[in-house]
Every structure is written in structure tokens, then in C-alpha cells.
Amino acid sequence: MPVFDDRSAAGRQLAADLATRGYRDPVVLAVPRGGVPVAREIARTLKAPLDLIVVRKVGFPGRPELAVAAIVDGDAPRIAWNRELLEAERLSPSDFDAAIRAETKELARRRRAYLCDRTRVSVAGRTAIVVDDGAATGASLRAALMGLRRLRPRAIVVAIPVGSAQAIAELTDADEVVCLRRPYPFVAVGAHYADFRQVCDAEVTALLDVAVPTHIEIDR
């Protein structure tokens, strides 16, 4: 049975929890596209700038919800692999060369579409709150965290409405993980939302336009 009406409702619930934790000088970093409506509610509540970490998930063949890898934006894009899944299916990263090329191209397109000429914001010495709409394998979040630490934030917090125990356990690059629901067994992120329609590019842009116009680029 769905727990959240939609991503915005999940964001409000998550924001209420985060507001009690007393984070110093927070920056809210959304993983697009699904993380943006969630993150917008958090940024509004915490009165913090809303930013992006652009990540692309590489789905398992025939099961696109299941991430075999994720690519994070930057001068040299970084890849986080789901090694356990690769080993279980007797696959190697080279089996996904074509998918990696396609998703890298899509990542570049999204960076241009979402960020344009928005001014960058530094996270150095600040609390970076990384937000997505959920985590089934955690590959997208692990990729996002991979490049964030080098920007020297005071602390990195992952905030998600729902996640699997396995995904949360593997977010070791975060100083803290805040997750409202950790169901077992975990089926899929969308199963916990009454409305889990795809977030379009126009919605991402509109949400950024009403927030502080800043963004993060990893490795720059």
C-alpha cells in the first residue's frame, strides 16, 4: 500500500524530520529528475539553496528500475557499479559499454537543459543534503556521493523518503542517512507512491527557477 501521495508530499514529510536536526548552513542537492520535487520541499522548509547533482542510472536489461551502474557528472564522469549484481549475473562492465555511452550522452543533454548558465554554489564547509525520491540499489546516490566529498563539505547527509536496507548500508560515503521508510521486502521505489508519474524536464526547470539559481558540478 502506498505511503506517500506523491513526491512533493514525501518531500514535506522528509523536510519536517530534517528541520529538527539543526544542520548548519545547508545546501540541498537533488538527484534529477525524481529527486527534484522532493528536494524542493526540503529546500523551502530549510530556507536553503536548491541545487543539482546530475546522475544517470544504467538499468539492468529488462529491469530498468534495477540499477547495474550509475554515472555522475563532471569533467571526467565517474561510474559506480553494482558489483554484487554483476557477479550474480556473471556479467562484466564491458557488457554495458553501449549503455554507458548512451547514458553519458543523455547526462550531457540534461546538464545543458537543466543548468544552462546558472551560477555555481560552493559546498565547502557547508552541510550538503543529497536528495532522491528513493533508493532501491543506491547506485545513483553512490555515484552522486563519489565526487561530492572532494568539494570539502562540512558533512554529507543523504535524505530519502524510502529505501532498501541494502542500499542504505552501502551509502558509506555519507556521514548520515535519513530515510523515513525501510520496508522489507523491498519491491520498488514507485510501489510506495500513489502518484509516481515521470518527472519531465520542464518540471525540473520550473522547480529550479523558483529556487536559488545555483548548481553543483562535480570535478570542476
Side-chain angles (χ1 to χ4, degrees), residues 74-177:
D75 284 344
R78 291 174 170 266
I79 303 172
W81 291 97
N82 185 338
R83 297 288 179 181
E84 190 172 289
L85 180 60
L86 287 176
E87 291 174 7
E89 299 295 332
R90 298 183 180 181
L91 296 169
S92 71
S94 62
D95 293 317
F96 296 88
D97 284 348
I100 291 293
R101 286 194 297 271
E103 295 299 347
T104 300
K105 183 177 180 180
E106 174 62 12
L107 187 150
R109 185 198 70 78
R110 290 191 180 200
R111 181 214 265 178
R112 292 191 300 269
Y114 301 155
L115 303 178
C116 302
D117 57 354
R118 298 177 189 273
T119 304
R120 297 176 61 188
V121 62
S122 174
V123 301
R126 305 179 74 172
T127 301
I129 303 176
V130 181
V131 180
D132 206 349
D133 55 13
T137 68
S140 294
L141 285 167
R142 289 200 308 275
L145 299 176
M146 199 187 289
L148 185 56
R149 183 65 69 181
R150 70 181 56 197
L151 299 181
R152 295 176 290 108
R154 174 187 289 113
I156 298 175
V157 178
V158 170
I160 51 176
V162 61
S164 70
Q166 177 185 346
I168 293 167
E170 292 180 359
L171 296 175
T172 54
D173 282 337
D175 297 297
E176 181 181 4
V177 178

Side-chain angles (χ1 to χ4, degrees), residues 183-202:
Y184 182 85
F186 190 94
V187 180
V189 171
H192 303 280
Y193 289 83
D195 179 357
F196 198 64
R197 72 187 69 179
Q198 185 174 359
V199 178
C200 66
D201 290 350

